[in-house]
Amino acid sequence: MPLTRRTVLTTVAAVAAVPVIAPAAAARAAGRPAVLPAGPLAGSPAGPGLHAGNRFDLRATPADLFGKEIRLTQGKVHQQVAFDQVTGLAYATQLISDGRQLADESAPVPGVERERRGDLCINEVAPDGAVRAVMYLRGVGHGGGLGVEHADGRVWLWLETDATPVSDGFAYGTRIGRVAFAPDAVVDAGSAGIEVFDPVPGTTGITPSLDAGRGRIAVRHGAHGAEEYRVYELDAFKRRAFTPLHAFPARYRTQAWCLAGDLVYQNEGSAYGPANPAPGNSWWNVYDVTTGQTIERRFNATALGLSHRETESITVRPTPDGPQLVFGFATQEPGPRRMALYGITSTTDGTGEHVPWTNLDYDTAVYAPNSGNYVPQYRQLGNRVDLHLRLARADGAPWTNGEKVLTLPPHIRPNRTQGLIGVTTGSGVTDSLTIRWEVLTDGSLVVFDQRRITGWIGLDAGFFTS
């Protein structure tokens, strides 16, 4: 099934008003949306199977959760999504739209002012993608972290709060807040409506993630380039006992992240554009919180055909088929942004992975492979890319120093120049059989040799994208 095809799979119906259309398996077979029986969700808590030895299979074909791009209430990009484990309802954060006037405001407020103050809208979203209710939180932050806790019959949101206003750009929270979701409510940072937790005093840019099924909470905090993750027991955190179970440095630029057992899932990437053409630069990064090590880094090839594809949310929710990794893209540019969510339920133990070779484009009028076994190819595992080729010039002319042989696709280009060592045919070569290659940040694969070799040259080596 092509990743760009909009097919609805395993949508969770959690409200009694939602009718039962068909069992999940029958609906999938018929190509119809699978609306499951209302009531408590199976797999809550999610149970074992999300530790470092058994994680979501990021190679699996994701399900399209709504079958369409969802229009939320604000025109801005959605930042993060989290699900109520009891009702199955989704909650999505957005900065408040430009020119929106809330009930207690005397005039419309410009969008840049909302950004500088950290004014958020929380959308409550039904399984069919309809927004059921909204809540407004002023002065809390950017909305990059969100957790949902169902306690005492109410929905409680965990997110950043107490944003430091800025003169330009976006305000980010400095503490963690817990607030009861209330439709149409307007709550300000610093008011009694938000319970405040300060696990890392003086930090900047703090965001939370909640693993309610396992009773854990995590925070990501710190200045740009020096971020850190900390994982806590939720009950202890509520008592303000802020001794972490685990703490480790964050790596890579992040758009959103979530805690799932002993794993942290982090995604990165930006929208398509001149500097980031399709297939884009969306990546998953997976950490083992017990060691702090990155155990997987994989390119996200979901929905490459979106006209605007900006990596945003990531979370885990329970479903009748087991825990599901949910991730999303902001779409539609220009105009009000929309939200497209996808889910992966398949898991893997991370062993026995076979990464196939993929052919690279090259000018067949200029270059000829040594044999069918040496057509230019690559394969990628995490942030390592292996290259394989043996080529000669089709016209028999000698190789020139600094000759560009081909251009790598955008998603495997390095963030700095990488040097590689290749080989050359022994025919007519009386000295070293090694040859120098470089991979440049624009994807150019260049050979450097001043001997004007006329035979084939080859490369079986790898480099790192970051």
Side-chain angles (χ1 to χ4, degrees):
M1 179 180 71
L3 294 177
T4 55
R5 181 182 174 187
R6 296 284 183 180
T7 304
V8 187
L9 300 174
T10 62
T11 302
V12 176
V15 188
V18 178
V20 178
I21 294 178
R28 280 195 293 267
R32 300 192 305 271
V35 181
L36 302 173
L41 293 174
S44 178
L50 286 177
H51 50 76
N54 191 355
R55 57 188 191 262
F56 291 109
D57 188 353
L58 301 180
R59 303 164 301 175
T61 300
D64 186 332
L65 298 193
F66 296 120
K68 57 185 177 181
E69 297 160 22
I70 300 303
R71 174 77 163 90
L72 300 176
T73 58
Q74 311 300 302
K76 300 286 189 175
V77 166
H78 84 281
Q79 298 292 329
Q80 180 60 307
V81 170
F83 288 83
D84 182 345
Q85 294 201 45
V86 175
T87 68
L89 295 174
Y91 294 83
T93 62
Q94 288 179 291
L95 285 164
I96 299 175
S97 289
D98 179 45
R100 188 65 55 94
Q101 181 178 347
L102 303 185
D104 63 346
E105 294 171 343
S106 60
V109 177
V112 291
E113 182 65 19
R114 300 289 191 193
E115 295 170 358
R116 292 196 295 257
R117 297 190 322 207
D119 294 354
L120 294 182
C121 173
I122 311 298
N123 300 263
E124 183 183 72
V125 184
D128 64 356
V131 177
R132 290 163 43 98
V134 296
M135 179 181 185
Y136 299 98
L137 302 172
R138 291 184 299 215
V140 294
H142 196 62
L146 182 66
V148 176
E149 178 188 15
H150 198 107
D152 303 322
R154 303 187 70 181
V155 172
W156 296 85
L157 305 176
W158 290 82
L159 72 172
E160 64 194 286
T161 190
D162 295 353
T164 301
V166 295
S167 58
D168 184 49
F170 299 104
Y172 295 91
T174 59
R175 297 175 181 86
I176 300 301
R178 180 177 183 259
V179 59
F181 182 82
D184 300 322
V186 180
V187 179
D188 290 304
S191 71
I194 302 180
E195 186 179 6
V196 177
F197 301 85
D198 195 10
V200 192
T203 194
T204 58
I206 191 167
T207 56
S209 178
L210 191 67
D211 187 342
R214 295 177 180 79
R216 285 185 173 185
I217 188 172
V219 300
R220 175 186 168 100
H221 76 95
H224 179 67
E227 295 90 348
E228 179 189 53
Y229 289 109
R230 295 187 181 188
V231 181
Y232 306 85
E233 291 289 355
L234 180 58
D235 287 344
F237 193 92
K238 287 182 176 180
R239 298 192 306 269
R240 293 175 173 77
F242 298 129
T243 300
L245 301 172
H246 309 286
F248 55 96
R251 302 175 181 86
Y252 310 108
R253 177 177 174 268
T254 185
Q255 289 291 81
W257 66 280
C258 68
L259 174 68
D262 283 337
L263 299 176
V264 160
Y265 287 84
Q266 171 189 305
N267 60 14
E268 63 173 300
S270 50
Y272 288 158
N276 182 40
N281 59 2
S282 185
W283 290 83
W284 284 301
N285 304 301
V286 186
Y287 298 85
D288 180 345
V289 305
T290 65
T291 65
Q293 297 300 307
T294 304
I295 60 173
E296 186 172 8
R297 177 170 165 80
R298 187 172 295 276
F299 183 72
N300 184 349
T302 307
L304 296 177
L306 290 173
S307 60
H308 181 89
R309 179 178 178 270
E310 186 173 353
T311 306
E312 293 296 346
S313 52
I314 190 167
T315 190
V316 173
R317 68 167 182 170
T319 78
D321 293 328
Q324 184 179 59
L325 182 70
V326 177
F327 58 96
F329 301 97
T331 70
Q332 303 294 324
E333 173 66 35
R337 301 300 184 87
R338 296 178 184 265
M339 176 178 73
L341 294 184
Y342 303 86
I344 293 174
T345 307
S346 302
T347 58
T348 177
D349 63 5
T351 62
E353 293 185 356
H354 174 69
V355 182
W357 290 94
T358 300
N359 288 349
L360 289 164
D361 291 331
Y362 67 100
D363 191 340
T364 56
V366 178
Y367 305 112
N370 189 36
S371 73
N373 294 325
Y374 291 103
V375 172
Q377 295 178 318
Y378 80 91
R379 68 178 181 181
Q380 180 181 22
L381 182 61
N383 67 342
R384 179 181 170 86
V385 177
D386 292 309
L387 299 177
H388 170 75
L389 60 90
R390 285 187 185 179
L391 294 174
R393 290 191 59 92
D395 59 4
W399 292 91
T400 59
N401 188 44
E403 183 169 341
K404 176 181 173 180
V405 177
L406 54 82
T407 301
L408 302 178
H411 67 278
I412 61 169
R413 296 174 185 175
N415 64 0
R416 62 183 182 273
T417 297
Q418 303 269 308
L420 308 172
I421 298 298
V423 296
T424 182
T425 176
S427 176
V429 178
T430 59
D431 50 4
S432 173
L433 299 182
T434 61
I435 195 166
R436 176 170 162 250
W437 297 78
E438 283 189 358
V439 182
L440 309 185
T441 56
D442 65 358
S444 298
L445 181 62
V446 183
V447 61
F448 292 93
D449 197 284
Q450 298 177 336
R451 293 176 290 176
R452 297 185 62 78
I453 296 168
T454 56
W456 60 258
I457 59 175
L459 184 61
D460 282 284
F463 66 91
F464 294 93
T465 57
S466 61

